[in-house]
Amino acid sequence: MALFLVWHEEQRAIEPELLPALDRFELRPGLMLGDSELGLSPLYHRIKRALPAGTALLVAPLADAPKFKLMESGALSWTRARR
């Protein structure tokens, strides 16, 4: 599995049932970490289809667990459990 950083416009919600291939943790509204067996392009397109048309989106693979501060409680535990 690979770790990804995903950002989308926070006022647009992802339909959870459209993303079974992504184990995710929401860091802040519109910003999440995801763990998936899919590669970058297939994952990007799956997330894109789970968002309303015209929503800004960024999906980036992470080589290592990121450093972060002031994110949702449990973010570090979620990340460590996947490494």
Side-chain angles (χ1 to χ4, degrees):
M1 305 257 292
L3 193 61
F4 293 89
L5 181 66
V6 178
W7 171 86
H8 63 85
E9 291 176 279
E10 68 180 80
Q11 57 273 58
R12 310 278 185 119
I14 290 179
E15 297 296 330
E17 64 275 2
L18 297 178
L19 278 181
L22 182 65
D23 178 19
R24 59 193 179 277
F25 186 92
E26 190 166 339
L27 297 167
R28 305 289 281 173
L31 180 64
M32 71 182 88
L33 292 174
D35 194 19
S36 179
E37 291 183 2
L38 296 176
L40 176 59
S41 186
L43 181 61
Y44 168 83
H45 287 288
R46 188 155 309 173
I47 294 170
K48 183 176 124 181
R49 287 191 299 272
L51 287 164
T55 301
L57 172 64
L58 175 136
V59 179
L62 298 174
D64 293 310
K67 302 290 278 180
F68 42 79
K69 179 179 169 181
L70 299 175
M71 298 292 159
E72 289 296 324
S73 179
L76 184 57
S77 297
W78 184 91
T79 303
R80 285 181 175 161
R82 279 139 190 88
R83 294 292 147 238

